[in-house]
Amino acid sequence: MTTATAVEDAEAEEAVEEDAAEEDASEPALAPEVGTSRDNPAQPVTDAIAIETSGGTMSVTLGNVTWDANSAIAEANMFNEEAPDGQVYITVPVTVQYTGPESITPWIELYISYVAEGGRSYDEASVVLEGDFMDVGDLYDGGTAEGTMAFLIPEEAVGSGTFSVEGFLTSGTYFVAAV
């Protein structure tokens, strides 16, 4: 190989590397999978989140939020406390379908919290509801159940957050838009 050929080969290789680098820079970055970040949440009603359990899979779908559930909470049980000044109860329907050889108890297997736009999360409120998610019994293969969860949040957090959804003893947090 002559010196001129070696230089030409090196220049050609360098041009190929530059072209590849330009292509990489011009390709848009892949968006995270729907529901895996607060910036790209799953949509309520239409998007189901699949969460692996120790023996199968839960398919979880959240519904649309009731942004002022104060009167419904008060009517559901006379011992439910009123929302303090500056706070409001919200509710969200949760549907779980189970596929697998074992059974699951959805309210044990699933953890959901409301995450306000500012990043603060709020756990499920300790109130009694009609159709409470805590009343959902065991699900066996193909079983589906729906229940409602309540959260006590600041009034300024209404309409601007997401729900985080996690399975018990599983990895990964999923997000669903709160609408």
Side-chain angles (χ1 to χ4, degrees):
M1 178 184 320
T2 65
T3 304
T5 306
V7 170
E8 288 173 6
D9 287 346
E11 288 174 353
E13 186 176 320
E14 188 176 304
V16 169
E17 288 174 4
E18 285 177 9
D19 288 345
E22 286 176 14
E23 283 180 24
D24 288 344
S26 65
E27 290 179 18
L30 295 176
E33 189 175 331
V34 171
T36 58
S37 77
R38 288 175 48 212
D39 295 330
N40 191 20
Q43 294 303 303
V45 181
T46 59
D47 292 338
I49 296 171
I51 298 177
E52 298 299 318
T53 67
S54 59
T57 303
M58 288 186 295
S59 176
V60 180
T61 307
L62 274 58
N64 291 323
V65 178
T66 299
W67 290 108
D68 184 353
N70 288 345
S71 61
I73 301 265
E75 291 171 13
N77 189 293
M78 65 185 210
F79 297 108
N80 285 341
E81 294 183 18
E82 283 186 34
D85 286 343
Q87 295 185 321
V88 63
Y89 284 108
I90 64 170
T91 59
V92 64
V94 179
T95 303
V96 177
Q97 181 176 27
Y98 176 70
T99 305
E102 306 289 325
S103 67
I104 62 165
T105 306
W107 62 270
I108 293 174
E109 295 281 340
L110 195 60
Y111 178 73
I112 297 175
S113 63
Y114 177 77
V115 183
E117 189 173 50
R120 165 106 193 272
S121 67
Y122 297 88
D123 294 332
E124 184 177 9
S126 295
V127 295
V128 177
L129 293 171
E130 190 167 322
D132 196 326
F133 192 70
M134 293 281 289
D135 294 338
V136 171
D138 292 347
L139 292 179
Y140 292 84
D141 189 37
T144 300
E146 183 176 313
T148 301
M149 297 180 85
F151 301 86
L152 182 62
I153 67 170
E155 289 176 345
E156 64 267 8
V158 168
S160 64
T162 59
F163 289 97
S164 68
V165 180
E166 299 176 28
F168 180 70
L169 298 178
T170 61
S171 62
T173 301
Y174 300 91
F175 297 92
V176 178
V179 295

